[in-house]
Amino acid sequence: MPEAIVHIVDDDVSLGEALSGLFRSVGLDARLYGSAQAFLEATLPDAPGCLVLDVRLPGLSGLDFQAQLAQLGIGLPVVLMTGHGDIPMSVRGMKAGAIDFLPKPFRDQDMLDAVTTGIERDRARRTADGGRRQLEDKFATLSPRERQVMALVTAGKLNKQVAGDLSLSEITVKIHRGSAMRKMGARSLAELVKMAEALHVSA
């Protein structure tokens, strides 16, 4: 697994450097960005990570930036920090998916705990995404007919019913079903059903 990276977005250079030193002291890589725009313009490495974000940023505010990340499909977990930690802002940030909200000054250990939680969550997300991509790649190898058969059998239809629906012989359905299971790497119909659910395959 690649080394985890903490992305720090804060226009306060001294705080950013202090946080960077804190994360590096526990073996984490850290990258500093002076604004939301600087982060968006950077090339993000393909590695698990977490975003430490000040809610008061020049230009795009931290909370607006958090919403934009979701729209852009950037799934990094967010830890929010602010010197102006009013309750409505923290509630809005947490509702938008932030894993923690730390008012300044915060304890180093609180920040490390929040970032560790974020990185663990990101690792889990990346593993799940990887599994889904593998399923999609396998599904792409199925012929159109195999996909039809897979959709119908995983919807609970018997081979005879599938044959009737597709105007095929029952033996042909069995061949397509066996081929689909082999290509998908499914050892049982129950496994194939789970795969179909994960891929949102429907008859």
Side-chain angles (χ1 to χ4, degrees):
M1 182 69 79
E3 187 180 1
I5 300 172
V6 185
H7 303 273
I8 305 160
V9 184
D10 197 331
D11 60 331
D12 182 339
V13 177
S14 60
L15 177 64
E17 287 177 349
L19 284 171
S20 183
L22 173 66
F23 298 136
R24 290 196 171 106
S25 74
V26 293
L28 295 170
D29 192 3
R31 306 221 174 159
L32 282 170
Y33 310 86
S35 66
Q37 197 58 41
F39 175 84
L40 293 172
E41 289 170 0
T43 302
L44 294 181
D46 184 20
C50 179
L51 188 62
V52 175
L53 180 60
D54 195 320
V55 294
R56 306 274 180 174
L57 287 171
L60 192 64
S61 82
L63 292 178
D64 290 338
F65 176 46
Q66 185 187 6
Q68 193 171 335
L69 289 174
Q71 291 166 359
L72 293 171
I74 298 173
L76 284 172
V78 174
V79 175
L80 290 170
M81 55 182 179
T82 182
H84 314 271
D86 58 333
I87 298 301
M89 192 176 281
S90 64
V91 169
R92 188 178 148 203
M94 297 299 278
K95 279 186 175 175
I99 56 173
D100 212 337
F101 190 98
L102 302 176
K104 300 174 192 173
F106 42 77
R107 294 188 317 125
D108 288 354
Q109 193 57 52
D110 290 341
M111 176 58 80
L112 290 173
D113 289 347
V115 164
T116 300
T117 299
I119 289 169
E120 286 170 359
R121 191 175 293 183
D122 197 43
R123 283 192 199 280
R125 176 189 65 81
R126 290 167 65 83
T127 300
D129 286 353
R132 182 178 169 82
R133 270 196 298 274
Q134 285 182 342
L135 273 184
E136 287 169 348
D137 291 346
K138 288 177 183 176
F139 189 68
T141 68
L142 269 56
S143 69
R145 184 63 88 191
E146 287 164 352
R147 291 181 192 193
Q148 283 180 313
V149 170
M150 176 176 165
L152 290 166
V153 297
T154 56
K157 294 206 170 189
L158 302 172
N159 289 342
K160 185 186 288 187
Q161 293 170 310
V162 175
D165 287 353
L166 300 179
S167 303
L168 299 172
S169 70
E170 201 172 331
I171 190 74
T172 303
V173 169
K174 284 181 181 175
I175 291 167
H176 286 312
R177 174 177 167 166
S179 179
M181 287 182 71
R182 188 179 67 255
K183 288 181 181 178
M184 292 300 295
R187 290 164 296 184
S188 66
L189 179 59
E191 262 191 34
L192 195 66
V193 168
K194 283 182 184 172
M195 292 173 179
E197 286 173 355
L199 292 166
H200 304 295
V201 172
S202 57

